[in-house]
Amino acid sequence: MRHHIATRLLTAMGELAARGEDCGTVERLAEMAGLTGAQVSDACQVLRRNGLARHVRHHCYALTEAGRKAAAEGVDVFRGPRGPIGPTAPRRDSLMQRAWAAMRVMRKFDLARLTVMASRDERWAYKAITKYCAVLRETGYLIRIDAQGSTRGRRGASSRYVLMRDTGPYAPRWRKPKGEVFDPNTQTAYPIKPEGVE
């Protein structure tokens, strides 16, 4: 089966990352992936929108940590530069998409560290990420532990989260009016269960 354009680019960029190269030029990536320069440029924008690649310098791109993981896992989610074949791609480089990518890298984290990793100086970032993590915990994506690693500790500044359900590169979406979290990676909706409700 022929690989889709963005997937071919993701694979080529993964090979560069494995070699320790900091980034690949459009020309180099086109040669490695068997694509035209225009195809590489368009596909790079798709990967960037989904938090899988970043622009390092003029016409030179590299994978993010989430992109490296996706390349290593052989993820094939794009039909081409214009859209996905299965899971719905995030529409923009959102705070929650960046937070989710950071969770997948760190696996265990506190809210302050996660906010630093994901925020681009949004004033409301910490509050929004706190609410998002609470919702992910209520739907089974995260568990909360205290400073000693116990899951019985109370919420507080020293509490940390552990990612338990890593379903793929796309951030689960909180559908507040429906009281659920929709996972675009698996096309599954999970009802939100308030803390303390079995």
Side-chain angles (χ1 to χ4, degrees), residues 167-186:
T167 54
Y170 302 133
R173 300 172 185 171
W174 179 16
R175 292 175 170 175
K176 190 173 182 179
K178 294 185 177 182
E180 66 182 23
V181 167
F182 176 73
D183 192 326
N185 301 288
T186 61

Side-chain angles (χ1 to χ4, degrees), residues 40-114:
V40 168
S41 295
D42 287 345
C44 277
Q45 297 310 309
V46 172
L47 297 182
R48 289 179 68 192
R49 285 199 301 270
N50 291 288
L52 301 177
R54 59 190 177 87
H55 183 239
V56 178
R57 51 181 177 270
H58 186 61
H59 292 313
C60 200
Y61 299 88
L63 294 180
T64 61
E65 289 298 325
R68 289 175 183 244
K69 184 176 178 64
E73 293 175 351
V75 170
D76 181 17
V77 293
F78 296 109
R79 185 176 298 281
R82 296 186 179 179
I85 60 171
T88 303
R91 294 182 180 178
R92 61 185 183 279
D93 182 22
S94 67
L95 174 63
M96 297 316 156
Q97 181 61 41
R98 297 194 301 269
W100 176 251
M103 291 181 207
R104 299 184 73 217
V105 172
M106 294 189 290
R107 316 303 292 187
K108 183 185 296 185
F109 53 88
D110 58 46
L111 294 173
R113 178 61 175 165
L114 182 61

